[in-house]
Amino acid sequence: QVRLVESGGGLVQAGGSLRLSCAASGDIFRPNAMGWYRQAPGKQRELVARITSGDSTNYSDSVKGRFTISRDNAKNMVYLQMNSLKPEDTAVYYCNLRTIRSENWGQGTQVTVSS
């Protein structure tokens, strides 16, 4: 069983930055992809960024150039550096770990960007 715990959310003004962290523990199968999704009120959950075990990344168009995903395989951590935040980035951000065996989610962390 895999456990994912997010941290680093909070309230920030537009133009500011936040860094989210996700710690994975348990039976982590490799190779895998770790990612960040977000869900705003009344909207569907959407992919923000994903990174594979080999450090291949992909981003949603809405965050390209502003957000950077990274991972530390030795520590089983994934990070999301968010710069130039906009009010439309406000959402609950979820950590995700996907393997050929399973898909796992964290409990989410709230990010609120004020205008």
Side-chain angles (χ1 to χ4, degrees):
Q1 193 168 356
V2 175
R3 184 175 183 227
L4 303 174
V5 178
E6 302 99 333
S7 60
L11 173 64
V12 64
Q13 287 189 333
S17 298
L18 282 174
R19 187 189 192 216
L20 304 183
S21 299
C22 173
S25 61
D27 186 16
I28 300 170
F29 185 77
R30 290 186 174 86
N32 59 57
M34 298 189 76
W36 291 94
Y37 288 70
R38 67 186 181 188
Q39 187 167 18
K43 295 188 177 181
Q44 288 188 328
R45 191 173 297 189
E46 62 175 0
L47 173 69
V48 176
R50 182 186 293 130
I51 185 167
T52 68
S53 300
D55 289 337
S56 176
T57 60
N58 64 290
Y59 297 89
S60 70
D61 288 343
S62 62
V63 306
K64 279 181 182 177
R66 300 188 298 123
F67 291 10
T68 303
I69 191 170
S70 61
R71 63 188 290 168
D72 184 331
N73 289 328
K75 296 181 179 179
N76 291 323
M77 297 285 296
V78 64
Y79 308 96
L80 186 68
Q81 178 65 44
M82 305 185 293
N83 299 327
S84 302
L85 282 160
K86 304 175 181 180
E88 51 263 44
D89 294 318
T90 295
V92 178
Y93 284 69
Y94 296 91
C95 182
N96 173 274
L97 188 151
R98 182 180 298 174
T99 75
I100 60 171
R101 294 181 175 178
S102 65
E103 184 168 34
N104 304 274
W105 295 92
Q107 80 287 351
T109 185
Q110 177 71 45
V111 171
T112 302
V113 184
S114 63
S115 58

